[in-house]
Amino acid sequence: MKGLFTKELKNIMYGFGDDRNPANDTVSVMEEILIEYITDVCLAASGPSKRARLSVEDLRKVLSRPADAKKLARMEELIFMQEDIKRARAQFEESDNPKGF
């Protein structure tokens, strides 16, 4: 999994004030922290059953702690935006292909 988030992390770090090209060891440490966090959230969401697939409800439950309120709000915002994009695409496709033609 090493290197999976390198490009994105460099951009995020730059956006938060780091150098345009941060040191590789710094990016590696950040990536290790990120992967560990994602793993911990997924394990907590899977619960004792250790299911192979997680649902949005599983993630909501894990992120419902007060310390994770901002993360939960961001997740909800992204889910809403995804649904909004789906609706807009459906309307666009519907207007492109009027019924009866």
Side-chain angles (χ1 to χ4, degrees):
M1 286 255 254
K2 197 119 175 110
L4 185 64
F5 300 107
T6 300
K7 181 180 175 187
E8 292 82 2
L9 279 172
K10 283 182 178 185
N11 290 331
I12 290 169
M13 291 168 67
Y14 178 66
F16 278 92
D18 204 329
D19 189 65
R20 183 76 176 131
N21 293 306
N24 288 333
D25 56 339
T26 305
V27 176
S28 293
V29 169
M30 292 294 290
E31 188 173 41
E32 286 176 28
I33 293 168
L34 176 63
I35 290 171
E36 184 178 328
Y37 174 76
I38 292 171
T39 302
D40 290 346
V41 168
C42 290
L43 288 174
S46 68
S49 64
K50 304 291 184 220
R51 294 178 305 219
R53 291 185 59 97
L54 297 177
S55 70
V56 172
E57 286 306 314
D58 295 331
L59 293 173
R60 278 188 180 116
K61 200 179 310 175
V62 171
L63 296 177
S64 64
R65 301 177 310 170
D68 291 325
K70 286 184 179 181
K71 294 176 190 117
L72 179 61
R74 179 66 174 151
M75 184 184 88
E76 297 291 355
E77 178 184 5
L78 291 171
I79 290 170
F80 175 79
M81 288 177 7
Q82 180 183 26
E83 291 168 358
D84 206 29
I85 290 169
K86 275 186 198 174
R87 284 190 295 272
R89 281 189 180 144
Q91 286 178 345
F92 179 74
E93 289 172 2
E94 188 177 294
S95 68
D96 255 7
N97 300 318
K99 291 183 173 112
F101 288 102

